Amino acid sequence: EWLMGDLPANEEALEKHRSNLRAKPEELSSWIAIGNHHLLRGEDGLAEIFYLQVFRKNSGHPAAQNNLAYLRGRGGDFSRAMGGFKAALASDEFAIQPKKNITRLFMGAGLWRHAAVNFRQLEARIPNDLEVKRGSALAALATGKSGPAESIGSMLRDGDGDNARFAEAALALAKGNRDKAASIFGDLAGHNEYAKLVLDFWNTKE
C-alpha cells in the first residue's frame, strides 16, 4: 500500500521482469518491480540497489523516489521519508501514492489539520477510496469537527475491524490525552502496520 510500480505476484512474474532487464537494461519499470520484490521480502539492501539504479538513469523518477522514501521511513528515518515522498509528488503532481504516504506521516506526527487538507484533496480525486474516507473521518474527529455522518459511519463499519479503535485514539489525541492514544495504538501495533508506524514515529521524537 506504500509502493509505486509493479509488485510481482509470483516467480513467473518476477522472471519476466528479469528477462526484460536482460534484453533492455533501460526498462526502468522492471528495475522498480524487482526492487519492490526485494523490499517486500525484507531485503532492504537489495531493494535499495535496484532503486538507485533507476536514479542513475532518471534522478527524478517518482516511483524510485517514493519507494526509496518508504524504505527510509521503515528504517526510522522519517525526515528523509517525508522528503522523498514530497520529491516524488513534485516529479508527478498527479501521483496518488506519495500524496497518501505524506498524509499518513502527517497523521503519524499528529498533524491532523495538514492531514485533513490532504484528505480533502484526495477525496476529490478518488472519492470511493476507503482509506481516504476513513482518514477524512479520523482527521475530522481529531480537529473537533463532526464530519459527514456517512463518512464517519463507513469508517466505523468497514475495513479491517480496527476503525473504532482508531476513532477512539483520534478523539483522545484531540483532547490532548496522548497516553491513552499511545495505549490504543500499542494494542493495534501487533497486527496493524499504520499503528506501528505511529508508535515508531513517536518513539523517535521522545
Side-chain angles (χ1 to χ4, degrees), residues 18-100:
R18 289 171 175 156
S19 297
N20 283 345
L21 287 187
R22 286 192 288 268
K24 296 185 294 183
E26 72 280 4
E27 189 66 51
L28 300 188
S29 62
S30 288
W31 286 101
I32 293 291
I34 298 174
N36 290 347
H37 167 77
H38 287 300
L39 186 58
L40 293 177
R41 287 170 56 91
E43 299 165 346
D44 292 7
L46 287 173
E48 183 175 12
I49 289 171
F50 279 85
Y51 297 148
L52 291 177
Q53 284 292 333
V54 176
F55 277 126
R56 285 186 177 183
K57 303 173 188 300
N58 180 356
S59 60
H61 194 283
Q65 291 170 318
N66 177 84
N67 297 359
L68 191 57
Y70 171 63
L71 191 156
R72 303 298 188 214
R74 197 164 77 165
D77 194 338
F78 290 95
S79 177
R80 290 181 71 185
M82 179 64 85
F85 293 142
K86 288 183 176 179
L89 195 60
S91 297
D92 181 0
E93 62 180 313
F94 298 107
I96 294 293
Q97 200 58 56
K99 186 78 167 180
K100 275 189 173 184

